[in-house]
Structure formats: C-alpha cells, structure tokens
C-alpha cells in the first residue's frame, strides 16, 4: 500500500486563465521487493462524497486543476499485471485557495480587472474535442518556465523563501518531465528529453548550492548574534559582516541592529580601509567572470528549451490531429 500523497498549491498562469487552482499531488514510488513492480498509478480526487479519477499513468505525481474553495483529498493506487492495488491513506485535507485573477498576478491595482469572456461549453471527457493534449503540453511548458525562473531567483536573491520556491518548482517539473527522463534511461533519448534532463540537473545543482548557502546563513546568523552581544563598534568589522550577511540573503533583527550600530559608528569616525584590497579585487574579478560564464550557459539552455517547446507543441498537435482522424473514421 502506498503512503498518503502530498499536496502543494502551484502558482500557475495556465490554471488561472481557466479559473482554476493548480494542485501538485506527489507520492513515493511503489516497491514490493523482488516481485512484480507497478506499471501505472491511479490517482483519485475526493471532494465531499464525490470521487473523480484525475490521473492514470507511469509517473509518481500529477498536477490537478481544482475549483477554488472546494475541500479536496487524494488517494493513489498502484497497478501492475496482477491488477489494481489497495488505496493509499488519503492525503491531508486541502481547502483550495481562491483563484488569483490574471489582473492580480500582474500586480497592478490601478485599473479594474477586465471582464471575463463567456465560457464555452465543455466537451465531454474522452471526446475528440477534449483538449487533454493541449492542457498537458501547456503544463509541461509552464513547469519548465517555472523551474527556470526559480533557479534564477534562487541565485539572484538567495533566501529561505526562494529556496522553498525552487524545491516546489523542481518537484512539479520532475512530475511533468519524468517521461523524458525515463526515455533517456531506456536508451531512447530525444532532443526534448535531453533538454529536460539538462534542466533538471541544473536545478538539482542549484538546490544543492542553495541548501549549502542556507546552512551558511544559519551559521552567519549565529555569528551576527555573537557580534551583537560583543558590543563591537568598529565600522570596518561591522560593514564586512553586514555585506557578507546580505550577500547570503540573511534577514532578521540581529542584522537590523548591526546596521543601526554601523550607522552610529560612521557618525563618530570615518571607517578604516578594508585590509587586503588587492586580494579583494581579485575575488571581485573572479566573481564577475563566473557570472558572465553562468549567464552564457543560461542563454544556451534557454535557446535549447525554446526549441524543445516548439517540438513539444508540434508533437502534441500531430497527436491531436491523429486522434481526430481516428474519431472521424470511427
């Protein structure tokens, strides 16, 4: 029996445009020793007394579009050649938050939000007109973009918040890109799977670096408190510690009080010059060179991602047309 799925609310523009809220549902892969392994998973949404199967596939997670305000739980079952296994323990209940309008996502408050367009009648599930492929393609593209943005934010503004956003974006991207990863493992790589694997590896490296930086932030916070308790008033020492803490994304009362102490020290005397100026200049030049190399690598990856997005769209469109042709012949 599988463990209870974990739920997370995603920031999804695609879901917002449809008046929905995106919920990421993940669960650990099933394992039963050396016996037959599961080939698929079935995820079911529980809302009140209603049950709805929302996902069936090989990956150990899915992104579900939920109605704002509804209270939901999810259960998952493993499936193999012997049939469907027992249900997992239900996930913790989730009260789906209100849907943020595109106007709210843009962050503008000066103009009123535009009037919503009349909704088109929804086609029956399973009919040729059901835009399943389009939704899946949009979610996959959005997951890549969300992960790229989270990686950049974690590097530009290191903090506990950007690290958690990066972890959440990685989990969502891993769900949508597992198919590409599995293709590589089976020895059937494509240009799209290569980009997906490269993107996930880059994100994994960014998470590892952010985790290390988080540990350094905790250590830096302790040192700031020790410095605060020692009543040091040397402006050069205070400035160096404050710059180091801000570069790591440290926030808190200790840093704020040290800034106030530095301001008072600067009013009493001019700060002494920093020791080791030549070494500092070399460090700055090395950091700038590393930034330029990282920017070039990101630009190359972005071009590869855009190419893979176009390939995804073309493949999904071809599949949709093929489904329509089969439905017409039937």
């Amino acid at each position: 029996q599988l463990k209870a799925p974990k739920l997370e609310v995603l920031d999804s523009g695609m879901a917002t445009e449809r008046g929905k809220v995106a919920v990421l549902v993940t669960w650990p892969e099933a394992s039963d020793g050396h016996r037959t392994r599961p080939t698929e998973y079935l995820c079911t949404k529980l809302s009140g007394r209603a049950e709805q199967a929302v996902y069936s596939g090989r990956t150990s997670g899915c992104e579900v579009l939920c109605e704002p305000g509804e209270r939901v739980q999810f259960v998952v079952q493993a499936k193999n050649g012997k049939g469907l296994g027992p249900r997992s323990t239900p996930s913790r209940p989730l009260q789906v938050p209100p849907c943020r309008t595109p106007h709210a996502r843009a962050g503008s408050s000066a103009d009123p939000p535009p009037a919503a367009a009349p909704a088109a009648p929804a086609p029956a599930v399973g009919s040729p007109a059901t835009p399943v492929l389009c939704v899946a393609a949009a979610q996959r593209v959005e997951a890549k973009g969300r992960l790229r943005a989270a990686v950049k934010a974690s590097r530009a503004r290191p903090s506990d918040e950007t690290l958690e956003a990066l972890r959440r974006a990685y989990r969502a991207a891993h769900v949508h890109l597992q198919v590409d990863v599995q293709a590589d493992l089976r020895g059937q790589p494509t240009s799209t799977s290569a980009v997906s694997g490269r993107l996930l590896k880059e994100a994994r490296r960014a998470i590892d670096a952010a985790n290390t930086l988080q540990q350094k932030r905790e250590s830096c916070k302790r040192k700031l408190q020790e410095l605060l308790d020692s009543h040091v008033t040397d402006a050069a020492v205070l400035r160096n510690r404050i710059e180091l803490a801000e570069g790591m994304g440290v926030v808190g009362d200790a840093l704020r009080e040290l800034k106030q102490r530095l301001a008072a020290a600067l009013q009493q005397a001019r700060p002494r010059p920093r020791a080791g100026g030549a070494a500092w200049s070399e460090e700055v030049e090395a950091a700038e060179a590393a930034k330029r190399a990282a920017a070039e690598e990101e630009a190359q990856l972005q071009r590869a991602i855009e190419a893979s997005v176009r390939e995804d769209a073309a493949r999904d469109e071809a599949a949709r047309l093929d489904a329509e042709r089969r439905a017409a012949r039937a």
Side-chain angles (χ1 to χ4, degrees):
Q1 183 176 356
L2 295 171
K3 295 182 180 180
K6 295 183 179 180
L7 310 183
E8 296 178 276
V9 176
L10 296 177
D11 185 13
S12 169
M14 187 275 296
T16 298
E17 292 174 356
R18 290 164 170 76
K20 308 284 187 179
V21 175
V23 176
L24 178 67
V25 187
T26 55
W27 54 87
E29 293 187 354
S31 175
D32 56 355
H34 298 286
R35 296 190 295 275
T36 306
R37 294 182 57 83
T39 56
E40 287 187 3
Y41 297 96
L42 175 66
C43 181
T44 304
K45 183 178 76 169
L46 312 178
S47 180
R49 296 183 178 180
E51 297 187 4
Q52 178 187 4
V54 292
Y55 171 78
S56 177
R58 295 177 178 272
T59 59
S60 57
C62 59
E63 181 179 336
V64 184
L65 302 185
C66 297
E67 294 292 339
E70 71 173 329
R71 185 178 176 85
V72 297
Q73 289 180 283
F74 292 87
V75 294
V76 65
Q77 297 168 270
K79 181 181 179 181
N80 56 27
K82 297 181 179 180
L84 203 59
R87 283 187 169 186
S88 68
T89 304
S91 67
R92 61 174 177 80
L94 172 67
Q95 188 72 34
V96 180
C99 176
R100 289 195 292 171
T101 64
H103 174 72
R105 285 175 56 84
S108 171
S109 59
D111 302 321
V125 175
S127 69
T130 305
V132 175
L133 295 173
C134 297
V135 171
Q139 289 176 332
R140 188 163 57 247
V141 170
E142 187 175 54
K144 291 181 180 180
R146 185 191 297 117
L147 184 58
R148 288 293 297 149
V151 168
K152 291 182 179 180
S154 71
R155 291 172 174 169
R157 302 184 303 278
S159 67
D160 293 345
E161 290 75 15
T162 55
L163 173 57
E164 182 54 35
L166 175 58
R167 289 170 176 166
R168 185 166 53 250
Y170 179 84
R171 287 190 289 267
H174 194 265
V175 164
H176 289 293
L177 305 182
Q178 271 191 44
V179 174
D180 293 340
V181 174
Q182 291 170 359
D184 278 347
L185 294 177
R186 292 194 303 269
Q188 301 170 348
T190 64
S191 59
T192 300
S193 66
V195 170
S196 299
R198 184 178 172 186
L199 179 58
L200 289 174
K201 287 179 181 178
E202 183 194 19
R204 186 67 259 175
R205 289 196 300 267
I207 290 175
D208 292 340
N211 285 333
T212 301
L213 193 56
Q214 185 184 45
Q215 296 174 358
K216 291 182 178 179
R217 278 198 300 272
E218 295 302 322
S219 175
C220 186
K221 287 179 182 179
R222 292 191 294 270
K223 292 180 180 179
L224 288 180
Q225 189 61 49
E226 293 173 0
L227 185 63
L228 190 62
D229 296 339
S230 66
H231 304 289
V232 173
T233 58
D234 185 280
V237 174
L238 293 173
R239 176 177 292 170
N240 288 344
R241 291 296 179 88
I242 290 172
E243 290 177 354
L244 178 62
E246 289 181 333
M248 292 183 179
V250 173
V251 295
D253 295 336
L255 180 60
R256 187 161 46 251
E257 292 183 29
L258 285 179
K259 286 183 177 180
Q260 295 173 356
R261 185 180 295 183
L262 174 61
L266 291 176
Q267 290 179 353
Q268 295 178 2
R270 299 182 61 184
R272 290 175 295 191
R274 185 196 303 271
W280 178 261
S281 299
E282 292 178 0
E283 291 181 6
V284 171
E285 291 177 1
E288 292 297 329
K291 286 182 180 179
R292 289 193 295 270
E296 177 61 26
E297 183 180 354
E298 288 184 359
Q300 293 178 358
L301 181 57
Q302 185 61 35
R303 289 193 292 269
I305 290 174
E306 291 173 355
S308 72
V309 167
R310 291 192 295 269
E311 182 178 332
D312 284 346
R315 185 174 60 251
D316 291 334
E317 179 63 16
R320 185 183 66 80
L321 293 175
D322 184 59
E324 289 181 353
R325 285 194 295 270
R326 289 199 303 268
R329 288 195 297 270

